[in-house]
Amino acid sequence: MLRVPDPFARGLLGPALLLFLCLGACGGGGSSVAPPPPDPPPAPQVLSFVNWEVPPVHALERDPSGTRLFLAHEPDHRLEVYDLTTGLPFPLASIPVGLCPVSVRHRAGDEVWVVNHVSDTVSVVDVALGCVVATLPTLDEPCDVVFAGTPPRAFVSCSQANAVQVFDPADLGAPPLTVALDAEDPRALAVSPDGQTVHVAVFESGNATTILGGGIDEVGLTPLGPALGFFPPNVVNDPATPYGGVNPPPNAGLGFDPPLAPGLPPPPPVGLIVRKDAAGAWRDDQGVDWTAFVSGPEAARSGRPVGWDLPDRDLLHIDAGTLAVSDRRGLMNLCMALAVNPASGEVLVVGTDARNEQRFEPRVSGRFLRVLLARAPAAGPAAVLDLNPHLDYQTARVPRETRNLSLGDPRAIAVEADGSHA
């Protein structure tokens, strides 16, 4: 908290106040002596403050009784505790923890676990004592913690290590188990209603797109060998590809939208982003099929082996007992937060999906992603819904009233106890 200096306490107004008192005592009207010039204003005080600007993952938590609220106060590196019995939050305690607390979870009684993203630690806090009673080192950049299994163990997501670590609350000195995840940047966690499955949202899961080489000038590059040639091969320039090696590839039939202005010099060659559709075919922004050159018989022309794939693991499920991992795919690009419907066990994931295969700014014009909700039942396929169903994405601008209805950058989701609303 910034404190404004008290000018009287620091003596900054001392001479002026003394002059005022002297003039008042002498009547103030008969003196011909000019008052001394006022002191120059003090130099502004510069305070050192580092703001890591790490996004919170689960910053608020209530205890089961609903009488206390716990807040991970990230910029101040503290756990804030509030009393809720009067209906309004009343501060009870402010407890220092590690650097950048991004998640807080109540375990039992007065015990609260706080995940410190920059410190690479978990702080075990005794709220009644008002202090940290244990500090657990983790792998790089932990993000969240939940408790699952029989007996319950603590599961901590470590985003940069692409892993979940498992701690035994009954033996904090024991080394944790590590569950390696074949996914990029796991963050938010949730637990199934029966407490036996840990759900993991993969923040940078990908969106089933890949880029084909075509913009690199091979002049001056060293070949990797007679069998490999240059890497990555400029497959977009290859005459055997769908557009016969035309580069840049067209995006409107055999032409361009918007059309190329006459008189311009030839445009530079570029790579091409293709997206895998529901049937497994890799297609460009106008639906032309490049599968043969990505994963099919001609995959070597793009530097890939036949059968190459790019897994899109968005939602992971860890068996709390065996630590076996399964996954859901094809949900979205950035899985930012998740919650579990306590009535049905359905997992709800919110995030965004980039449309990075779309080319040329006038065609994109602000429509570069979708804000999505994925509903993943305990069994069966997941449904993916647009959280802005009032938008048809046909025009780049909509009235202010329509824009005010829109959601963007979703960072949290909660579900009512009866499962009726999220």
Side-chain angles (χ1 to χ4, degrees):
M1 179 174 67
L2 298 179
R3 299 186 182 276
V4 180
D6 185 343
F8 292 95
R10 293 179 178 267
L12 301 179
L13 298 185
L17 179 61
L18 180 61
L19 175 63
F20 172 77
L21 294 176
C22 289
L23 290 175
C26 298
S31 174
S32 60
V33 179
D39 289 349
Q45 188 175 9
V46 179
L47 300 179
S48 176
F49 176 73
V50 176
N51 184 8
W52 299 96
E53 295 186 345
V54 177
V57 177
H58 189 268
L60 291 172
E61 173 90 337
R62 283 196 308 178
D63 66 5
S65 68
T67 60
R68 289 181 297 182
L69 175 69
F70 307 106
L71 165 67
H73 187 177
E74 182 188 327
D76 209 25
H77 319 303
R78 291 175 177 268
L79 171 67
E80 308 290 351
V81 185
Y82 295 88
D83 179 89
L84 300 178
T85 56
T86 63
L88 294 175
F90 181 81
L92 291 178
S94 182
I95 304 169
V97 290
L99 292 182
C100 281
V102 294
S103 181
V104 54
R105 303 277 186 174
H106 176 266
R107 192 182 82 85
D110 289 316
E111 185 176 302
V112 173
W113 289 42
V114 180
V115 178
N116 307 304
H117 188 74
V118 173
S119 291
D120 294 342
T121 60
V122 173
S123 298
V124 180
V125 179
D126 188 313
V127 177
L129 295 177
C131 65
V132 175
V133 295
T135 299
L136 309 178
T138 70
L139 297 176
D140 196 17
E141 294 191 1
C143 283
D144 203 358
V145 59
V146 294
F147 304 96
T150 306
R153 294 185 289 180
F155 291 74
V156 179
S157 60
C158 299
S159 59
Q160 287 304 296
N162 295 334
V164 166
Q165 291 192 286
V166 186
F167 295 84
D168 182 0
D171 185 5
L172 296 180
L177 302 174
T178 298
V179 182
L181 303 177
D182 189 9
E184 185 67 29
D185 209 353
R187 293 191 185 183
L189 302 175
V191 180
S192 61
D194 63 5
Q196 300 306 309
T197 303
V198 175
H199 305 295
V200 186
V202 180
F203 185 69
E204 295 179 350
S205 66
N207 64 345
T209 61
T210 187
I211 187 167
L212 303 176
I216 300 176
D217 185 357
E218 294 179 353
V219 176
L221 293 182
T222 302
L224 297 180
L228 296 177
F230 299 96
F231 191 87
N234 287 352
V235 65
V236 180
N237 305 344
D238 193 320
T241 55
Y243 301 114
V246 173
N247 196 336
N251 71 330
L254 297 180
F256 293 92
D257 179 24
L260 298 178
L264 291 177
V270 297
L272 180 67
I273 294 177
V274 292
R275 177 187 287 265
K276 186 168 66 172
D277 64 16
W282 295 90
R283 300 182 182 276
D284 64 20
D285 55 350
Q286 61 172 334
V288 173
D289 191 348
W290 288 74
T291 306
F293 302 91
V294 179
S295 58
E298 303 296 329
R301 293 177 183 262
S302 68
R304 296 167 168 84
V306 174
W308 181 90
D309 196 11
L310 184 64
D312 177 24
R313 299 181 176 95
D314 300 305
L315 176 62
L316 307 180
H317 311 285
I318 302 176
D319 185 296
T322 66
L323 303 184
V325 181
S326 58
D327 62 62
R328 301 287 185 96
R329 306 185 181 191
L331 305 183
M332 61 193 70
N333 186 186
L334 298 179
C335 301
M336 297 185 181
L338 79 167
V340 174
N341 186 320
S344 66
E346 181 182 57
V347 184
L348 305 176
V349 184
V350 291
T352 60
D353 192 72
R355 316 305 297 180
N356 49 310
E357 75 276 15
Q358 293 292 330
R359 289 182 291 151
F360 306 127
E361 189 277 336
R363 291 192 62 160
V364 177
S365 190
R367 297 162 290 183
F368 51 86
L369 59 77
R370 304 289 187 267
V371 181
L372 302 179
L373 164 70
R375 303 182 59 175
V384 180
L385 309 173
D386 195 318
L387 283 175
N388 293 312
H390 56 287
L391 300 178
D392 61 13
Y393 303 102
Q394 298 303 307
T395 59
R397 292 182 177 273
V398 295
R400 168 60 66 180
E401 295 77 13
T402 304
R403 293 166 64 188
N404 289 343
L405 298 173
S406 303
L407 297 176
D409 198 28
R411 293 287 174 166
I413 182 172
V415 187
E416 288 187 348
D418 63 1
S420 59
H421 293 84

